[in-house]
């Protein structure tokens, strides 16, 4: 790192001059600077500086006392910024870039807009209107509520002494922060910060009347119930983060090649199949973006911190922010303080009696699957030319017999890039789309929660959780088009999410800090208040890629496919230890093929086919193992940590070297499916007849390999088969959905004669 000196500033500044106060623009990017490396006395001599580039450094905050009175543009993108309050001294700032700062949240964005009175551009977007609501209308509403707390429960001490005033201030600030609720839970940190500030200013105005009215908050009449004035009123398709920051990128060895595979422009938002009618309209209802009310945003910049494979050298020393544990309220709806503080309790847990094994009647004949739709619905800025966005995970909505599910049949959620989509498989319509600028979603999971209603009754709601690079879990109720909350699961990226089938509010998060955390996200009340609590931490030696709860024992065991192997964990909450390591490691015959290039330990596919049979595969294995969970468990004796899997059969598969091609199963139809690097889907129909040959020792060939559909881009030509990252099937195999690394969702339908 080069030391900041006067000669360096003159060299990197412009126009070229011999005096610091004549420099107008200064580039100090990509120098590895930390906050302590910025000499305040020297930089303060830059009295004429208007533009400063500090991008690509290691800054956590700006040094205290830094004053640049004429600075209008500051670029602090791609740093390690954690504290934006240090920007307050730059009062002339009009444009600010803070992209690719992994630890900043939407709360920090709101703080910046409040602290910098002249700021109008943030990360390339015009935020003038939003900033004015935050600075004036939002502040006025919060101020009135804070004053209400004072007038209801407090008064100045008599006699008025410094000590008694400090005691009253402490109690008043605590009471105000606890009682004043405003906006969604994702902004709870910002709201608390502003309430504390307002409470102190108000108390000071009572003891020093001369300063009353000097806050800069205009005396604009505002009614609390005027929704137009609510700065944090939830826009249904906006996940409550106008400019969320990023976390590490998903690993993919072949990512660079995939992003440049197709570069020709195209006119349609749907890739055309030869079997379908041409639909060149950009506004096709099947790919309509439902990001209501969200302002257009530029494409997020790629992070320079990491390569495609996240490295352990990423800065993780900063202490984690407190995960939101306060209730999330719907929109900015006013509620009495006593009502706001109440939360619905977690839905009553089911009995822990052993579940009876489910016996599926597997059809004798394999399914006949035909391609039905090919969708391009995760494009950056809705561009029809985007064939580079990686799609990572998909899952079907659970079917339920309730009003919440009426009219929603065979819907699948998909994620990739900065968006999550909910798709009707039959029509191919994109029912809902949620975008978080700067995020890259890697995983999602469905569950069914109970929402309390008036009169003590409750209804079931299908809730979708999604997570990715930023380490935040987004909670969405797609049926009402509402992203009602979020919480931080980790400061590193989230690789996988999984809900417990026995306890619908129990969510497991697998993250890039080598941890699996078990959360209880609780139930919901009619205002979408919720509260999260951490129940258990499982420590893994590498990134967890897949999580499975054995159908026969979902309360006691969890198995995880990780970067360095397959592990089983004891997850019984009755035990005192809340931080645990693996109970045993399960090893496979392919490990014996270990060489200098590959150890075959990366488990990139894992799913239960029956209550006992597990399908899994290793990277570079070229096949899929079917093995017995109960048989493998029986081999563990005493404190034995490493157990060989009881292999039942081996399924032939592609000899690809592309990692992270996930398999899936459909127990009700006896199907195992896994895509390959050429857009093909390898399907295996595991019938009773096939099982009878398990011990033959011969690899089982695929029942059918579904070829990539014959797709044609108008005016360009055929579309080559992409890599299939993930697949999903509904319980009755009416539909099969495959996600590609080229921003295409392929829906296959089972044809019945």
């Amino acid at each position: 790192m080069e030391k900041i000196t006067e000669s360096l500033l003159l060299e990197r500044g412009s126009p070229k001059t011999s005096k610091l106060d004549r420099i107008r623009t200064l580039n100090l990017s990509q120098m590895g600077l930390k906050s302590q490396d910025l000499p305040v006395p020297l930089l303060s001599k830059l009295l004429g500086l208007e533009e400063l580039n500090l991008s690509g450094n290691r800054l956590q905050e700006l040094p205290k006392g830094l004053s640049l009175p004429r600075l209008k543009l500051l670029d602090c993108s791609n740093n390690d910024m954690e504290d934006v309050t240090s920007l307050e001294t730059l009062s002339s700032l009009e444009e600010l870039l803070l992209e690719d700062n992994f630890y900043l949240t939407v709360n920090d964005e709101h703080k910046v807009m409040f602290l910098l009175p002249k700021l109008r551009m943030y990360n390339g977007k015009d935020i003038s209107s939003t900033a004015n609501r935050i600075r004036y209308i939002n502040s006025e509403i919060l101020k009135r509520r804070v004053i209400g707390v004072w007038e209801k429960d407090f008064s100045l001490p008599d006699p008025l002494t410094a000590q008694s005033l400090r005691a009253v201030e402490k109690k008043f600030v605590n009471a105000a922060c606890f009682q004043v609720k405003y906006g969604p839970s994702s902004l709870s940190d910002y709201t608390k910060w502003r309430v504390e500030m307002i409470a102190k200013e108000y108390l000071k105005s009572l003891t020093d009347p001369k300063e009353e009215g000097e806050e800069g908050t205009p005396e604009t009449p505002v009614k609390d119930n005027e929704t137009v004035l609510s700065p944090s009123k939830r826009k249904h398709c906006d996940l409550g983060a106008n400019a969320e920051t990023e976390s590490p990128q998903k690993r993919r060895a072949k990512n660079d090649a995939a992003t440049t595979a197709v570069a020709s422009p195209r006119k349609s938002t749907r890739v055309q199949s030869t079997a379908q009618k041409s639909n060149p309209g950009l506004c096709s209802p099947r790919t309509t973006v439902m990001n209501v009310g969200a302002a257009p945003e530029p494409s997020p910049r790629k992070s320079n911190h990491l390569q495609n494979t996240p490295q352990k050298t990423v800065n993780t020393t900063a202490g984690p922010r407190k995960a939101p544990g306060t209730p999330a309220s719907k929109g900015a709806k006013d509620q009495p303080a006593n009502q706001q503080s109440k939360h619905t309790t977690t839905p009553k847990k089911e009995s822990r009696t052993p579940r009876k094994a489910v016996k599926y009647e597997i059809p004798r004949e394999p399914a006949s699957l035909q391609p039905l739709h090919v969708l391009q619905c995760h494009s950056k800025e809705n561009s029809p030319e985007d064939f580079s966005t990686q799609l990572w995970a998909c899952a079907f909505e659970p079917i339920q017999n309730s009003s919440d599910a009426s009219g929603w049949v065979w819907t699948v959620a998909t994620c990739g890039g900065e968006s999550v989509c909910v798709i009707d498989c039959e029509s191919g319509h994109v029912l809902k789309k949620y975008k978080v600028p700067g995020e890259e979603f890697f995983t999602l999971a469905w569950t069914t929660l109970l929402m309390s209603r008036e009169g003590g009754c409750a209804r079931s709601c299908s809730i979708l959780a999604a997570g990715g690079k930023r380490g935040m879990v987004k909670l969405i109720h797609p049926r009402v088009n509402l992203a009602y909350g979020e919480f931080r699961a980790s400061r590193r990226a989230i690789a996988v999410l999984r809900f417990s089938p026995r306890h619908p509010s129990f969510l497991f998060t697998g993250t890039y800090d080598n941890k699996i955390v078990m959360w209880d996200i609780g139930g919901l009340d009619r205002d979408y208040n919720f509260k999260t609590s951490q129940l258990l931490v499982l420590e893994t030696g590498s990134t967890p890629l897949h999580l499975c709860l054995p159908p026969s024992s979902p309360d006691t065991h969890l198995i995880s496919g990780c970067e360095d192997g397959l592990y089983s964990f004891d997850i019984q909450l009755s035990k005192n230890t809340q931080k645990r390591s693996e109970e045993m490691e399960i090893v496979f015959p392919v490990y014996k093929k270990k060489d200098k290039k590959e150890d075959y330990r990366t488990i990139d596919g894992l799913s239960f086919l029956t209550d006992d049979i597990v399908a899994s595969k290793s990277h570079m294995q070229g096949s899929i193992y079917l093995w017995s969970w109960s048989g493998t468990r029986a081999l563990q004796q005493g404190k034995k940590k490493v157990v060989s899997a009881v292999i039942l059969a081996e399924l032939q598969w592609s000899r690809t070297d592309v990692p992270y091609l996930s398999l899936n199963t459909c127990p009700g139809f006896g199907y195992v499916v896994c895509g390959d690097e050429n857009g093909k889907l390898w399907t295996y129909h595991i019938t009773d007849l096939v099982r009878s040959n398990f011990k033959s020792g011969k690899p089982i060939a695929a029942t059918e390999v579904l070829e990539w559909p014959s797709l044609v881009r108008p005016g360009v030509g055929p579309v080559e088969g992409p890599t299939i990252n993930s697949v999903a099937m509904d319980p009755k195999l009416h539909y099969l959905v495959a996600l590609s690394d080229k921003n295409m969702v392929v829906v296959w339908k089972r044809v019945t004669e």
Side-chain angles (χ1 to χ4, degrees), residues 35-57:
S35 302
Q36 59 268 31
D37 299 325
L38 296 178
V40 173
L42 183 60
L43 294 176
S44 296
K45 296 180 181 180
L46 299 167
L47 300 178
L49 189 64
E50 297 180 356
E51 298 183 9
L52 175 59
N53 186 347
L54 291 170
S55 63
N57 286 296

Side-chain angles (χ1 to χ4, degrees), residues 417-473:
E418 61 184 17
S419 61
V420 175
C421 293
V422 180
I423 301 169
D424 180 349
C425 288
E426 180 59 35
S427 67
H429 289 170
V430 178
L431 301 173
K432 310 291 179 186
K433 184 171 182 177
Y434 307 89
K435 295 180 70 175
V436 181
E439 176 65 280
E440 182 176 359
F441 287 104
F442 295 150
T443 180
L444 49 74
W446 288 95
T447 192
T448 303
L449 297 181
L450 292 178
M451 173 180 281
S452 60
R453 307 175 72 180
E454 293 182 1
C457 60
R459 67 166 181 170
S460 297
C461 299
S462 289
I463 300 300
L464 182 63
K469 284 198 301 188
R470 294 181 53 253
M472 302 292 292
V473 176

Side-chain angles (χ1 to χ4, degrees), residues 331-395:
K333 183 176 179 181
D334 295 341
Q335 299 179 44
N338 61 344
Q339 291 182 10
Q340 291 181 353
S341 63
K342 294 180 180 179
H343 312 297
T344 53
T345 57
T346 304
K348 187 176 180 180
K349 310 292 189 299
E350 297 180 23
S351 170
R352 296 201 177 203
T353 55
R355 186 182 73 91
K356 294 183 179 180
V358 177
K359 179 65 176 177
Y360 294 104
E361 294 184 5
I362 307 300
R364 294 183 179 179
E365 297 298 323
S368 176
L369 295 161
Q370 298 294 330
L372 183 62
H373 306 292
V374 180
L375 307 176
Q376 187 187 7
C377 52
H378 290 267
S379 302
K380 298 173 183 176
E381 298 186 350
N382 306 322
S383 170
E385 299 179 11
D386 179 6
F387 281 84
S388 62
T389 296
Q390 296 255 9
L391 308 186
W392 290 112
C394 53

Side-chain angles (χ1 to χ4, degrees), residues 23-42:
I23 294 177
R24 295 292 179 266
T25 63
L26 179 62
N27 186 351
L28 298 178
S29 64
Q30 306 294 334
M31 294 182 62
L33 298 173
K34 295 183 179 180
S35 302
Q36 59 268 31
D37 299 325
L38 296 178
V40 173
L42 183 60

Side-chain angles (χ1 to χ4, degrees), residues 641-654:
K641 278 279 189 176
V642 180
V643 177
S644 296
V646 177
I647 305 297
L648 303 176
E650 189 172 2
L651 310 179
Q652 292 178 354
W653 186 63
S654 171

Side-chain angles (χ1 to χ4, degrees), residues 250-251 495-496 498 510-511 514-516 540-549 558-569 584-586 588 591 601-608 614-619 627 660 662:
K250 181 97 171 180
R251 305 181 182 185
V496 60
R498 175 74 67 181
T511 55
N514 303 340
K515 288 185 176 64
I516 301 169
T540 61
S542 61
T543 304
L545 303 175
H546 296 279
L547 303 177
C548 280
L549 295 160
L558 176 142
I559 57 176
S560 175
C562 301
E563 286 281 356
D564 69 347
L566 186 71
Y567 301 92
S568 168
F569 295 88
M584 69 172 176
E585 180 186 1
I586 301 170
F588 298 93
Y591 290 4
R601 298 183 66 89
T602 297
I603 307 297
D604 58 2
L606 180 68
S607 183
F608 271 85
V614 187
S616 69
K617 72 179 185 71
S618 300
H619 173 226
W627 52 280
Y660 313 117
S662 178

